[in-house]
Amino acid sequence: MRYMMMIYSQETPEGPPPEEIPGIIARHSSLMDDAAARGVLVAVEGLKTTALATTVRVENGKSLITDGPFAETKEQLAGYYIIDCQNLDEAIEWAKRIPTGCKGGSGCIEIRPVADLPYRP
Amino acid sequence: MTDQARAAVERVFKDDCGRILSTLIRISGSFDQAEEAMQEALAAATVSWKAGAVPSNPAAWITTAAHRKLIDAARRRRTHRDREDSLAYELENSAAAEPEDVFVHLPDDRLRLIFTCCHPALSPEGQVALTLRTLGGLTTAEIAKAFLVPEPTLAQRLVRTKRKIQEAGIPYEVPPSHQLAERLAPVRAVLYLIFNEGYVATAGESLVRADLCLEAIRLARVLCELLPNDAENLALLALLLLHDSRREARVRDSMLVTLEEQDRALWNRSQIAEGLALVDRALMRGPVGSYQLQAAIAALHADAARPAETDWRQIAALYERLLVLQPTAVVALNHAVAVALGVGLEQGMAMLDTLGESRELQNYYLFHAARADILSRLKRRDEALAAYRRALAFVQNQVEREFLARRIARLEN
């Protein structure tokens, strides 16, 4: 089963302390290397700050474009992994290794099973 | 014969439901299919045993019969879906063995079931409901009644919980050793929660809910039987037995009786003996954990022939250690009371006053009740009365309200 692991990180204006950045990068690299070596890494991306986010909402055929993320919460989506796992416990083990401080403050990982949609291009 | 057959079926369901169901879930990979097959097998047993003799191993009979139902169901599905092929093949081959062999030689699957039902990715109320339904063999109606929720709500909760297991891919496995400690904590929490739900209940509701206490004890026994080397599992069983040993003495004429005022002749001696032996075994094994400390405290209470013989000094020392592992306001409150009774009233009172500065305990009736009790022992009658009245404002349960009212009346005279 494929699981998406969404990285929610607390955004601070100054971002993570400079001395922590090499560690964060190293942990991501080792995680990606491990998952890729085992052939289970489906996708991984990091996102730029929510200061650059745009929200598009279409209602009754009209679209409303607004600046910023859809919800003003303390922790914001900062990136994701999609990893192919045997079960949730395996996904939890991967998730424990994902650093969450990339946007400044502490954070968490939300794990969701990926739906097998009938149509794929 | 009819009654004998029905009684035998009911007994198998009560005693072996968890064992049978856990095996069927492993074979079928589905809670729903397993439950359905077991229900069909139980129905078949009632008919078949009525006509002939009850088999020598009724649980094996049910397991085998349910196993065949699973094969039939898998065959029916096979024609539609290729994916089921391997399952049907496996089922047919494993069914070839003699009935007794199937049951006796299958691994005990209850441990997998315990860990799956108490998986931390499930909601706590879902964990409790599914544990009671599958391992405890309680009906949906019984669980709903015990937790005072409407039956459809409880049924919905079970559906949601099983759906998450299936669709989020929660494994049906005993966790590997490096995860065992982390995964055992929620298992013990679920059993303790089931017990407490039964224990805080009082007259009127008492029948259904005493069942919950017994069920929690039974499941804790299963846990100890399956993982006998874990000190915290032993301590949990000890703690439940020691608490439960006082059940008869806790309520008199639908009124709550404090530990100090209980008729100790009503305490269940054999449960206490078993609990004390378990505490010793757990403490020898270690490493020390919060259930061991709580069980050791319960053991000191159970050991005292009269309230005056209670070793409060030792209890205070144990609470001090528990506070390190569980730094909660309630543990701090119990520690302060034990210090008051074991070390010095003034010293305990000073600790209570410090605790009162945090807002957390201000709405907690037991905090005010404890203060009132220590104040009255210090002969500060007016302050004690005021504290009892504050406690009364936060109490939620009728039995506890009456208890406080009696305390107030006694002080006023």
Side-chain angles (χ1 to χ4, degrees):
Chain A
M1 196 183 301
R2 286 167 297 141
Y3 291 89
M4 187 174 209
M5 295 159 203
M6 288 161 279
I7 306 163
Y8 286 93
S9 180
Q10 250 181 56
E11 283 187 342
T12 58
E14 62 279 2
E19 67 273 16
E20 281 181 19
I21 294 172
I24 292 173
I25 293 172
R27 286 168 68 193
H28 276 299
S29 308
S30 106
L31 187 56
M32 284 184 244
D33 289 348
D34 279 2
R38 285 193 232 170
V40 295
L41 185 65
V42 180
V44 53
E45 296 291 355
L47 303 177
K48 292 186 178 176
T49 164
T50 52
L52 303 171
T54 307
T55 301
V56 181
R57 195 179 294 268
V58 181
E59 263 170 43
N60 303 322
K62 273 194 214 158
S63 52
L64 182 68
I65 318 286
T66 47
D67 171 44
F70 88 101
E72 294 289 346
T73 55
K74 224 158 80 179
E75 285 158 344
Q76 290 288 353
L77 188 63
Y80 66 86
Y81 281 77
I82 297 178
I83 299 181
D84 205 350
C85 304
Q86 286 295 319
N87 55 45
L88 182 62
D89 279 358
E90 210 180 289
I92 290 173
E93 287 302 300
W94 284 113
K96 281 178 183 169
R97 295 177 54 188
I98 302 175
T100 58
C102 52
K103 292 289 186 251
S106 62
C108 59
I109 307 290
E110 179 178 325
I111 304 175
R112 298 259 293 271
V114 173
D116 278 311
L117 295 179
Y119 172 77
R120 296 174 71 81
Chain B
M1 192 61 223
T2 306
D3 287 348
Q4 216 184 323
R6 189 178 304 134
V9 170
E10 275 168 16
R11 200 165 336 110
V12 175
F13 184 67
K14 206 76 231 166
D15 296 346
D16 294 306
C17 168
R19 240 191 108 118
I20 298 170
L21 205 51
S22 60
T23 297
L24 298 174
I25 293 169
R26 178 175 52 77
I27 293 170
S28 68
S30 156
F31 277 67
D32 288 332
Q33 283 172 32
E35 272 186 89
E36 206 174 298
M38 191 177 69
Q39 289 307 331
E40 285 177 21
L42 290 168
T46 318
V47 175
S48 155
W49 299 356
K50 216 185 279 179
V54 174
S56 60
N57 189 343
W61 195 101
I62 300 281
T63 309
T64 308
H67 199 164
R68 298 219 169 97
K69 307 271 178 204
L70 281 177
I71 297 166
D72 292 344
R75 273 203 196 112
R76 282 197 297 277
R77 278 194 309 273
R78 181 166 51 164
T79 50
H80 303 291
R81 291 168 67 185
D82 290 337
R83 206 164 67 86
E84 244 76 34
D85 260 340
S86 57
L87 172 65
Y89 177 78
E90 186 188 315
L91 285 170
E92 276 171 43
N93 284 307
S94 56
E98 285 300 301
E100 260 69 22
D101 285 354
V102 171
F103 194 61
V104 175
H105 297 302
L106 282 177
D108 197 322
D109 290 312
R110 284 176 299 176
L111 201 53
R112 298 168 191 250
L113 187 54
I114 290 176
F115 280 110
T116 303
C117 289
C118 302
H119 197 285
L122 299 170
S123 73
E125 60 268 30
Q127 295 175 30
V128 166
L130 196 61
T131 300
L132 288 171
R133 181 80 185 88
T134 56
L135 281 153
L138 268 63
T139 65
T140 306
E142 283 170 333
I143 305 167
K145 201 166 166 196
F147 285 89
L148 311 173
V149 296
E151 199 179 326
T153 310
L154 204 281
Q156 197 37 249
R157 194 176 290 171
L158 283 168
V159 169
R160 268 201 306 269
T161 309
K162 285 189 278 192
R163 184 170 169 224
K164 175 135 191 207
I165 291 175
Q166 198 85 36
E167 295 193 17
I170 291 177
Y172 192 57
E173 280 172 15
V174 175
S177 56
H178 70 279
Q179 283 177 4
L180 209 53
E182 171 183 315
R183 292 286 305 281
L184 265 170
V187 171
R188 286 189 291 259
V190 163
L191 301 190
Y192 200 33
L193 212 112
I194 292 171
F195 181 86
N196 277 325
E197 191 65 27
Y199 199 63
V200 296
T202 48
E205 306 160 335
S206 60
L207 263 181
V208 188
R209 306 197 125 197
D211 276 0
L212 282 181
C213 293
L214 296 179
E215 193 52 48
I217 290 173
R218 203 177 69 82
L219 292 173
R221 277 191 202 286
V222 172
L223 191 62
C224 288
E225 185 193 314
L226 297 172
L227 292 171
N229 293 328
D230 187 294
E232 283 290 90
N233 292 347
L234 299 174
L236 171 68
L237 177 57
L239 181 63
L240 302 189
L241 285 168
L242 291 170
H243 277 326
D244 193 64
S245 71
R246 301 198 290 263
R247 181 147 43 93
E248 292 299 317
R250 273 178 86 231
V251 178
R252 190 192 303 142
D253 307 326
S254 26
M255 286 195 285
L256 192 67
V257 187
T258 60
L259 191 57
E260 204 177 351
E261 293 169 340
Q262 283 172 15
D263 177 359
R264 298 187 179 213
L266 293 175
W267 288 3
N268 184 327
R269 287 290 142 196
S270 68
Q271 277 195 358
I272 290 177
E274 192 191 350
L276 294 179
L278 281 164
V279 172
D280 285 343
R281 260 176 71 195
L283 288 172
M284 270 194 301
R285 196 174 287 275
V288 78
S290 64
Y291 286 104
Q292 287 165 71
L293 293 170
Q294 291 178 78
I297 291 166
L300 286 171
H301 283 300
D303 235 359
R306 288 178 297 121
E309 288 170 24
T310 309
D311 189 349
W312 282 106
R313 187 178 281 272
Q314 181 71 19
I315 291 173
L318 288 167
Y319 271 122
E320 198 174 334
R321 294 185 67 185
L322 184 59
L323 200 52
V324 177
L325 297 179
Q326 255 178 38
T328 68
V330 173
V331 175
L333 171 61
N334 286 325
H335 179 222
V337 171
V339 167
L341 299 177
V343 183
L345 285 171
E346 297 285 357
Q347 196 178 329
M349 193 63 221
M351 287 166 75
L352 281 176
D353 286 338
T354 313
L355 281 175
E357 285 162 17
S358 86
R359 203 164 294 164
E360 205 174 336
L361 286 173
Q362 279 299 332
N363 297 341
Y364 186 52
Y365 93 93
L366 278 174
F367 168 71
H368 299 289
R371 263 194 90 235
D373 183 60
I374 305 300
L375 284 166
S376 66
R377 285 171 202 262
L378 282 164
K379 312 273 180 249
R380 287 155 66 176
R381 182 175 161 277
D382 291 343
E383 288 166 275
L385 269 173
Y388 272 129
R389 293 201 176 101
R390 290 217 64 177
L392 208 48
F394 297 110
V395 83
Q396 296 191 340
N397 170 318
Q398 186 59 24
V399 172
E400 287 160 344
R401 180 170 296 118
E402 283 164 10
F403 164 75
L404 290 174
R406 271 180 289 140
R407 281 295 164 105
I408 290 172
R410 193 189 297 175
L411 269 184
E412 278 173 340
N413 291 325

